[in-house]
Amino acid sequence: MSDYIFERNGRRASTAVTVVVIWALLALAMVFLDASVWVVWLGALATLPALYDLAVARVSSLRLSDTAVDWRSGKRTGSAPLSAIKTVRLDTRLDMSIKATLILHTGANIRLPLDVVPPSRAFEDALKQRGIPVERHHFRLIG
C-alpha cells in the first residue's frame, strides 16, 4: 500500500487575504469610527503570527506508511510505529479544527501538532486501511 502523505505550507493565499482584510477593517474603524490608535495597534498585533507564517513559509508534513506515522512541523519532528498505536482519537473543536491524538498501547498519548493534521476524512480512511482504530469526538469543551 502506498504511503499517505500530507503537506501544508505556511505561505498560503488565504492567510495573506485574511491579514489584508483585518488591516483594512482596522483602517476603516480608525477613519470612520474614530477608533483609538492603540486599539488599532492591538488589532494589528494579533496578525503577527500570520505574518510570521507568511514570511517563514514553514512546511509541515505527515507521512503514514505501513509501518509508522512520521510528522514534521518546523523544528519539531516525531514518529510512532503503527504497532505501538492502540487507537487514534480525532476531536473536532469548536473552531472546526481537528485535534489528533495517538493513544499508545502503553497508555501514553501523543498529540500531533495542529498544522500537521490532515483533513479528517482522508486521514481516517488511511488509518483504517492500515488497521488502526479511530475514535471520533465532536465539540469537547474541556481537554
Side-chain angles (χ1 to χ4, degrees):
M1 181 176 322
S2 63
D3 292 353
Y4 174 77
I5 299 171
F6 174 76
E7 286 190 353
R8 175 177 287 153
N9 189 328
R11 188 174 290 158
R12 295 192 312 240
S14 62
T15 305
V17 168
T18 302
V19 169
V20 169
V21 167
I22 289 172
W23 286 355
L25 291 174
L26 289 170
L28 289 173
M30 200 166 154
V31 171
F32 292 111
L33 301 177
D34 199 29
S36 175
V37 173
W38 68 270
V39 171
V40 171
W41 276 108
L42 283 176
L45 282 175
T47 63
L48 287 181
L51 288 174
Y52 179 78
D53 283 346
L54 287 171
V56 174
R58 179 179 67 201
V59 175
S60 302
S61 65
L62 179 128
R63 175 186 296 262
L64 179 62
S65 68
D66 292 335
T67 58
V69 58
D70 306 303
W71 61 92
R72 180 175 51 97
S73 173
K75 294 181 181 179
R76 297 181 298 172
T77 61
S79 179
L82 292 186
S83 61
I85 300 173
K86 179 180 176 182
T87 186
V88 175
R89 181 180 171 132
L90 299 176
D91 294 304
T92 304
R93 298 167 21 151
L94 288 175
D95 64 354
M96 300 307 288
S97 64
I98 302 294
K99 178 175 70 171
T101 306
L102 308 178
I103 301 171
L104 306 181
H105 290 289
T106 62
N109 293 340
I110 300 174
R111 184 166 296 156
L112 296 178
L114 287 176
D115 54 345
V116 304
V117 178
S120 62
R121 193 63 63 202
F123 188 43
E124 185 176 355
D125 291 343
L127 288 166
K128 286 182 178 177
Q129 286 176 356
R130 288 161 178 82
I132 304 294
V134 178
E135 295 178 16
R136 297 286 307 212
H137 298 271
H138 298 287
F139 306 115
R140 287 198 46 186
L141 296 176
I142 299 173

